[in-house]
Amino acid sequence: MPLTGLPAKDYLNREDDLSYLRRLADMRQDSLAANVLLLGTRGIGKTELLKQVFREVFWEGREVVPFYYSFKTAALKSSTFARDYFTRFLKQYAAYVKKEPLLVDDAGMSLTRLMPVLSSAGLDWMLDIVDAFQEHAVSGDLYGQILAAISAPAAAAKRGGRRILVMLDDFTASEDLHEARRGDAPGLASLFEESMKNSLCPHIITGSPTARLEGIFSDPSLRKDTERMQLLPLPEDTSFSFFDSLLRKMHITCDMREAIGLIRTVRGNPLYLKNMAKAAWKTKKKELREKDLAECYCHEILDGEISFYWSSVLSERIRTKNLLRTLLRLLMRQMTKEGADDEARLSQVLGIRDAELGQAMEILDGNGLGRHDDPVFEDFVRALYMREIEGRSAGEIRERIGERFGTQRDSSRFEMVIPMTDQAELVAARAVEQIGKNINLEPDLLNYIQLALVETCINAIEHSGSYEKKIYLNFLSTPEQIEITIESPGRSFSLDSLRESPVEEKLASGRKRGWGFTLIRKIMDDVRVERVNDRTRVTLVKKIRNKEALK
Amino acid sequence: MTTSPFQVTSRLVKDVAIVYPRGYLNNLSGEYLVNECGRHAQAGLKKIVVNFHETDLINSIGISFLLNVMEDLQTAGGTLCFTEMKKVHLDTFEMLGLTKYFLFFPDEEAALTALDARKR
Ligand SMILES: Nc1ncnc2c1ncn2[C@@H]1O[C@H](COP(=O)(O)OP(=O)(O)OP(=O)(O)O)[C@@H](O)[C@H]1O
Ligand SMILES: [Mg+2]
């Protein structure tokens, strides 16, 4: 599997990430780098990046052995896992030494058959490591077996004089490692601590959803000596080049202007683009127009590969139809509501019992489904909602999703970083003014949005206890709404902690402060505060009603 | 919104001080405004009109300073009036439930007339 990456020429826009990870072994040995926690939304290209790293390191000849392991395909019963992990490691090591790529994925090669291969590769010392592993197996020492497997790369690095680059994909699935049934052996992930400490075998670890991966790494023993690397969406122009190159291979053409709605909808996610290109191929058209893309999109959302992808993500955690329905209603509420709800309120308006709601919310938050920036996922939810809750026909759903397609065409996104210095918030306010003008927003409304933004920036400055004195802003405007995210390092806070005290109480206090968030909440339709990596992110959303846009 | 550096000036009309805050009213400039008003109060003036005609933006900290000005003046038995506030500023006071604590007038003229009437 690891050697099935895209040809280098088709792999786009990740030169910096790739070259950093390629050199990780050197830098880790010189204490210039730590283990890497590779973060990124679903489908953004985490696995692909690991495959690219694998290939480069495999052929580079710097005496660094690449080892790739995915927990997704792994047998998650721990005894099976131990043997699988161990065998795959040996195979990939031998493949590297013998420069025999086929060996990497040779499923038929059992541990016993591997022994002569190791020997012929001059790796006799490895037989000791195998013996030690087998001893645990024979004596039925499950824990010893797992530990021996996990520490095999470190042991081999010490014995063999070659460093090992350990790449662990879909690491979130490691939470499901178990002895007899799911959940009976929590914390197995922490067994990686020893091996991760070893500077001869740096680890790159990734998986989805980010929230769960971060959860695992909140364990201090894993956290130390680990740095985060965020894989960002492809920029718009790269997204189009990527899509265009996929189409060209199938002798299909598509003008940038026709595709812009799609490009903006997928938000730089190569998985979506790839699936859309495949869907386009099935239409047998030679030249694609926007309406063809809309058709493909509907197909993808309703019953294509994108739908399949998200359905399987949901079904990983959701086992009953009832829970699915609760989840859909919750998601739909989040997507359309104007203003934040607390749990009690939600339970009332949705008519869902507290316990059930709590369970659904946990799934949403734990799997990073609740907070996202992904119109495609939203459309998937919408379609499913229409089917499961509203009982609409496929034709009807198709039509509605089709209508929505392309509303992203007129969206624009700006990013900016401002220092935490006096009056820097005014620079941000000026930016939002121009963005508002670009979409003909009414001046009054703009003034309010500016004020809310200024308040949020001031708040970020006051709350930051960090040495990194910067605020990261992201503006996204569509004809329907303007969304601003404000991220700052430093102490976190939650909306609930900002208790609204009555006006009289504030007036009686000495400093008479504390108006900022009241204002922000009055002005915006939705205000969210969340922790993203080591930053606090405040998201402000203002819906644009018809009369507010000047014609 | 174009924001110029903050400045505060004032002029006297009989026994009324008219104060002109210009630019962005925030924590730093709020301090100036409080001092300027304090100066008038110390000189024995009990009526202050703040003309916001050239104030571009008032942030929430700016508002807390305005509240301080009001409190100081009230303790001294004086009256504070606001004039020529932009709609967004008026709305801000409204949103915060603070409208009832201040006297708002469309222009200086109206404020002066009202203050004059109070005297009698
Ligand atoms: N930089 C890139 N250039 C071109 N294609 C890419 C790039 N990155 C990823 N892809 C393609 O996009 C698709 C999705 O990538 P990948 O499977 O690596 O995502 P992922 O982040 O691992 O997703 P998941 O969260 O589901 O594990 C793959 O088909 C991959 O080949
Ligand atoms: Mg993956």
Side-chain angles (χ1 to χ4, degrees):
Chain A
M1 227 279 276
L3 274 171
T4 55
L6 294 169
K9 69 170 179 25
D10 292 340
Y11 185 64
L12 301 169
N13 206 248
R14 300 270 189 236
E15 293 83 2
D16 292 349
D17 304 313
L18 181 56
S19 74
Y20 181 80
L21 294 179
R22 254 173 58 188
R23 294 184 356 256
L24 194 66
D26 288 344
M27 295 197 300
R28 177 101 174 104
Q29 198 174 10
D30 298 337
S31 302
L32 293 174
N35 295 304
V36 172
L37 195 59
L38 181 61
L39 304 171
T41 50
R42 292 182 190 269
I44 207 72
K46 301 178 292 295
T47 301
E48 185 62 48
L49 178 56
L50 293 188
K51 288 180 182 173
Q52 299 291 324
V53 173
F54 189 99
R55 189 184 50 221
E56 302 243 335
V57 173
F58 188 90
W59 293 114
E60 220 161 33
R62 298 165 78 104
E63 298 301 301
V64 178
V65 182
F67 168 47
Y68 171 91
Y69 190 81
S70 164
F71 285 82
K72 198 178 210 155
T73 43
L76 293 169
K77 196 171 171 328
S78 34
S79 53
T80 330
F81 158 74
R83 181 163 291 263
D84 187 49
Y85 191 87
F86 188 69
T87 319
R88 279 180 201 262
F89 170 66
L90 296 187
K91 261 187 241 179
Q92 293 183 32
Y93 197 104
Y96 176 84
V97 174
K98 296 177 75 113
K99 286 286 171 282
E100 251 179 54
L102 284 179
L103 197 52
V104 170
D105 279 320
D106 188 347
M109 181 71 72
S110 66
L111 201 48
T112 332
R113 285 187 48 211
L114 201 56
M115 306 287 252
V117 179
L118 292 173
S119 190
S120 71
L123 301 173
D124 285 328
W125 54 269
M126 248 199 192
L127 302 181
D128 297 341
I129 297 181
V130 177
D131 284 345
F133 178 81
Q134 296 285 45
E135 263 168 44
H136 291 296
V138 172
S139 67
D141 174 6
L142 187 55
Y143 182 81
Q145 219 179 321
I146 299 174
L147 203 58
I150 291 176
S151 49
K158 265 186 220 140
R159 291 284 300 271
R162 293 185 181 91
R163 289 158 298 167
I164 323 273
L165 182 61
V166 180
M167 291 174 266
L168 304 177
D169 199 358
D170 304 301
F171 196 68
T172 36
S174 74
E175 283 185 315
D176 293 334
L177 281 176
H178 58 264
E179 283 169 22
R181 75 198 85 80
R182 265 189 180 204
D184 66 0
L188 278 179
S190 63
L191 296 181
F192 280 89
E193 184 189 346
E194 262 321 294
S195 144
M196 284 174 63
K197 267 198 236 154
N198 190 322
S199 67
L200 294 176
C201 54
H203 287 56
I204 308 171
I205 298 177
T206 189
S208 296
T210 303
R212 288 236 308 281
L213 192 60
E214 288 271 24
I216 300 176
F217 276 80
S218 60
D219 181 340
S221 57
L222 292 177
R223 197 180 176 94
K224 70 175 174 309
D225 253 355
T226 305
E227 60 192 29
R228 282 153 179 66
M229 175 165 171
Q230 184 87 37
L231 217 47
L232 298 172
L234 301 175
E236 278 184 9
D237 50 350
T238 314
S239 291
F240 180 73
S241 321
F242 178 50
F243 186 58
D244 190 49
S245 71
L246 295 172
L247 292 179
R248 277 173 198 285
K249 281 186 196 142
M250 304 179 285
H251 307 288
I252 303 172
T253 59
C254 180
D255 192 87
M256 170 76 172
R257 273 163 306 199
E258 301 288 334
I260 192 72
L262 172 69
I263 297 299
R264 293 197 168 146
T265 304
V266 301
R267 301 273 167 87
N269 183 313
L271 178 70
Y272 293 153
L273 287 168
K274 218 164 176 165
N275 288 330
M276 278 295 293
K278 278 194 235 164
W281 178 72
K282 289 188 197 136
T283 65
K284 302 210 164 67
K285 295 221 163 82
K286 287 287 146 226
E287 192 190 333
L288 295 174
R289 289 293 164 82
E290 187 169 27
K291 72 169 186 4
D292 304 317
L293 292 172
E295 236 167 72
C296 295
Y297 183 72
C298 290
H299 168 76
E300 276 300 304
I301 293 296
L302 268 79
D303 30 39
E305 302 217 8
I306 294 180
S307 157
F308 180 74
Y309 178 86
W310 279 113
S311 300
S312 33
V313 169
L314 290 189
S315 64
E316 263 172 40
R317 299 283 141 187
I318 301 162
R319 310 238 176 258
T320 69
K321 200 90 173 173
N322 250 345
L323 188 55
L324 175 67
R325 293 162 66 100
T326 305
L327 202 81
L328 286 174
R329 290 163 65 191
L330 203 57
L331 276 166
M332 208 51 194
R333 171 92 185 158
Q334 282 189 350
M335 279 154 48
T336 52
K337 70 153 188 237
E338 300 186 354
D341 290 314
D342 58 26
E343 209 168 318
R345 181 62 181 280
L346 266 177
S347 161
Q348 277 172 356
V349 287
L350 298 178
I352 302 171
R353 278 180 302 122
D354 286 349
E356 214 177 311
L357 189 66
Q359 197 187 358
M361 299 227 324
E362 220 176 281
I363 294 181
L364 279 196
D365 294 342
N367 291 283
L369 297 172
R371 295 283 161 248
H372 48 76
D373 177 23
D374 184 351
V376 178
F377 175 65
E378 288 193 358
D379 279 338
F380 167 78
V381 170
R382 247 179 223 113
L384 206 56
Y385 183 90
M386 286 190 261
R387 198 180 77 200
E388 296 292 327
I389 312 254
E390 298 180 336
R392 290 181 197 274
S393 71
E396 226 176 331
I397 302 175
R398 215 169 260 274
E399 196 172 313
R400 304 231 167 169
I401 299 293
E403 278 164 12
R404 296 190 54 81
F405 181 79
T407 52
Q408 295 288 328
R409 183 190 331 121
D410 302 322
S411 73
S412 65
R413 181 188 284 280
F414 296 89
E415 285 172 23
M416 107 189 256
V417 183
I418 58 170
M420 290 189 181
T421 52
D422 191 30
Q423 309 207 352
E425 69 273 16
L426 293 182
V427 177
R430 281 304 284 276
V432 85
E433 178 175 28
Q434 192 56 51
I435 291 168
K437 281 184 181 161
N438 289 353
I439 55 170
N440 281 327
L441 220 54
E442 203 182 77
D444 272 349
L445 180 69
L446 250 178
N447 281 329
Y448 299 133
I449 299 178
Q450 283 182 302
L451 185 58
L453 176 59
V454 163
E455 292 299 332
T456 314
C457 290
I458 295 176
N459 194 66
I461 295 173
E462 291 202 325
H463 276 86
S464 109
S466 156
Y467 63 90
E468 193 198 5
K469 299 273 177 235
K470 282 180 187 161
I471 301 179
Y472 299 83
L473 298 145
N474 203 312
F475 305 89
L476 176 70
S477 67
T478 66
E480 296 161 329
Q481 65 175 40
I482 183 158
E483 182 180 312
I484 309 172
T485 61
I486 300 102
E487 286 187 15
S488 54
R491 278 174 289 151
S492 67
F493 65 97
S494 73
L495 269 187
D496 300 330
S497 70
L498 300 165
R499 188 178 63 95
E500 294 255 345
S501 48
V503 174
E504 283 69 24
E505 201 173 293
K506 280 187 208 153
L507 288 178
S509 75
R511 289 172 70 227
K512 310 197 182 332
R513 292 284 310 277
W515 308 101
F517 257 93
T518 314
L519 261 186
I520 297 169
R521 272 194 273 211
K522 288 254 160 130
I523 293 173
M524 302 312 280
D525 290 312
D526 191 10
V527 182
R528 305 189 293 253
V529 180
E530 67 205 311
R531 201 69 186 152
V532 179
N533 305 335
D534 45 6
R535 296 184 190 162
T536 301
R537 176 192 292 170
V538 179
T539 305
L540 307 177
V541 180
K542 186 75 190 168
K543 307 249 187 254
I544 301 166
R545 291 154 194 97
N546 273 339
K547 60 175 185 4
E548 288 162 344
L550 302 171
K551 286 294 155 200
Chain B
M1 185 201 76
T2 45
T3 318
S4 28
F6 187 82
Q7 241 189 329
V8 56
T9 54
S10 38
R11 70 180 179 114
L12 291 181
V13 178
K14 289 192 255 167
D15 60 342
V16 182
I18 308 186
V19 182
Y20 301 90
R22 295 193 174 88
Y24 176 31
L25 190 52
N26 63 358
N27 47 340
L28 302 172
S29 49
E31 201 87 51
Y32 288 119
L33 184 65
V34 172
N35 292 342
E36 181 78 3
C37 294
R39 204 167 56 81
H40 293 304
Q42 251 170 21
L45 289 176
K46 300 222 152 134
K47 296 172 198 167
I48 297 183
V49 173
V50 184
N51 183 332
F52 289 97
H53 182 69
E54 290 182 63
T55 307
D56 312 308
L57 186 68
I58 308 178
N59 73 19
S60 63
I61 308 181
I63 288 186
S64 57
F65 278 98
L66 290 174
L67 286 164
N68 283 324
V69 171
M70 181 194 64
E71 194 177 58
D72 293 349
L73 203 59
Q74 268 178 355
T75 334
T79 313
L80 178 69
C81 299
F82 288 172
T83 70
E84 298 201 37
M85 264 201 171
K86 295 192 176 68
K87 182 171 179 308
V88 55
H89 301 152
L90 282 171
D91 288 348
T92 308
F93 279 83
E94 180 77 43
M95 283 188 257
L96 295 176
L98 291 171
T99 316
K100 61 178 179 207
Y101 298 97
F102 295 95
L103 295 168
F104 298 91
F105 298 93
D107 49 33
E108 288 180 8
E109 185 84 33
L112 291 172
T113 316
L115 283 171
D116 213 39
R118 278 202 165 201
K119 189 170 61 179
R120 274 176 245 132

